[in-house]
Amino acid sequence: MSKAIGIDIGGTGIKGALVNTKKGSLLGERIRFDTPDESTPEQVVAKVAEIVEQLDSDRKTPIGICFPAIVKDGVTLSAANVSSKWVGLKAEKLFAKTLDRKVILVNDADAAGVAEIKYGAGQERKGLVLMVTLGTGIGTALFMNGKLIPNSELGHLEIDGVDYETVASFSAKERENLSFADWAKRLTKYFNQVDRLLSPDLVIIGGGISKQHEEFLPLIETKIKIVPAESRNNAGIIGAAFLARKRLQPD
Ligand code: BGC
């Protein structure tokens, strides 16, 4: 069977599961820990090691890890919602060495987008597709005719002089106690700016809150076609596992 471990590291939680990479579905339970407060590389790597040990002791199972930062050639180049110690770190090597396994490391939104393009709401979609994850930050993944353009980072679009993920992410809604209607006003502003700049053919909304899409997607006033992700909160895990299997153990 085609299987791989997927790990999704976020600003608030670290989640992992074994994934059937043919079907894009979880094999068994998902394991979750809170992200340690300081979220330093040592602390995060230790939690990931615990998850991997609980999931599968077979050292040949490939591991895909997704992380909330720009990731180029295995190096984490930013750190918006995690410790600044990640900036410039050869993180993929660090994970591979500590876990003693083959590992690939990618941006979290890119992994979630790959899952949706491969198995979910973005299947067979031509043109420009944008995955937007609404969580601790705003993550984006850009696809042209199904091909990923990595590290797009459109959550940090500056609108009205502010980095817009600080006012329109799901954590901003929670922090400021916004109603869905008030949050949708901010998302309207965000998506209209995205539309002006990119004219996407489709936007797929992910992140845990996408489970409640009926509460806020209809309130966003934009001409962009917006749909909820199909794999909801597991898209990062599934996409990371798929990429690990594809790159580390190609059929
Ligand atoms: C980070 C992105 C990440 C997004 C979602 C942003 O703050 O810059 O790399 O994809 O949060 O976690």
Side-chain angles (χ1 to χ4, degrees):
M1 190 214 301
S2 303
K3 67 169 183 175
I5 291 175
I7 308 271
D8 185 354
I9 300 171
T12 46
I14 303 178
K15 300 164 286 189
L18 261 178
V19 175
N20 176 332
T21 53
K22 275 246 150 59
K23 293 189 179 154
S25 56
L26 300 197
L27 288 163
E29 285 301 294
R30 193 176 82 160
I31 299 175
R32 181 190 186 282
F33 290 111
D34 284 344
T35 305
D37 282 345
E38 289 179 42
S39 61
T40 60
E42 296 71 30
Q43 290 173 332
V44 170
V45 171
K47 286 283 169 223
V48 170
E50 265 187 69
I51 294 178
V52 168
E53 272 319 304
Q54 285 184 40
L55 285 174
D56 186 359
S57 53
D58 180 357
R59 303 213 105 62
K60 288 194 290 300
T61 309
I63 303 178
I65 302 176
C66 66
F67 189 79
I70 300 168
V71 183
K72 270 196 136 173
D73 303 323
V75 180
T76 37
L77 293 176
S78 64
N81 295 301
V82 286
S83 156
S84 57
K85 294 202 170 126
W86 288 91
V87 180
L89 186 76
K90 289 182 182 155
E92 191 177 80
K93 272 207 178 124
L94 177 66
F95 279 112
K97 196 167 162 239
T98 314
L99 302 172
D100 191 21
R101 309 233 198 159
K102 286 195 176 161
V103 167
I104 60 135
L105 184 69
V106 290
N107 171 264
D108 57 354
D110 283 349
V114 164
E116 286 300 314
I117 290 283
K118 175 83 188 137
Y119 314 102
Q123 286 177 82
E124 317 285 328
R125 289 290 187 152
K126 292 275 176 254
L128 194 68
V129 176
L130 181 68
M131 169 95 188
V132 177
T133 62
L134 300 170
T136 313
I138 295 183
T140 62
L142 203 53
F143 295 84
M144 188 61 195
N145 293 333
K147 190 160 171 37
L148 174 68
I149 300 158
N151 293 310
S152 52
E153 294 293 335
L154 295 171
H156 299 295
L157 272 184
E158 196 175 302
I159 304 174
D160 296 338
V162 293
D163 174 341
Y164 219 61
E165 84 162 16
T166 63
V167 297
S169 62
F170 175 62
S171 63
K173 173 188 183 303
E174 294 290 277
R175 196 172 50 240
E176 295 183 46
N177 235 327
L178 297 179
S179 63
F180 277 111
D182 284 339
W183 188 39
K185 281 191 196 133
R186 296 186 182 184
L187 290 171
T188 293
K189 210 171 209 183
Y190 179 71
F191 284 112
N192 286 330
Q193 181 70 340
V194 167
D195 193 26
R196 268 192 289 276
L197 297 173
L198 290 170
S199 305
D201 296 293
L202 178 73
V203 166
I204 303 170
I205 298 284
I209 192 63
S210 65
K211 273 198 283 274
Q212 281 164 262
H213 60 93
E214 282 162 359
E215 306 265 12
F216 67 100
L217 288 194
L219 306 179
I220 301 175
E221 291 173 30
T222 171
K223 60 182 192 332
I224 306 180
K225 183 174 168 50
I226 304 187
V227 297
E230 282 175 18
S231 40
R232 308 280 189 256
N233 215 11
N234 292 326
I237 294 177
I238 294 170
F242 168 78
L243 290 170
R245 172 78 200 190
K246 189 171 142 199
R247 293 186 195 163
L248 300 174
Q249 234 176 50
D251 292 324

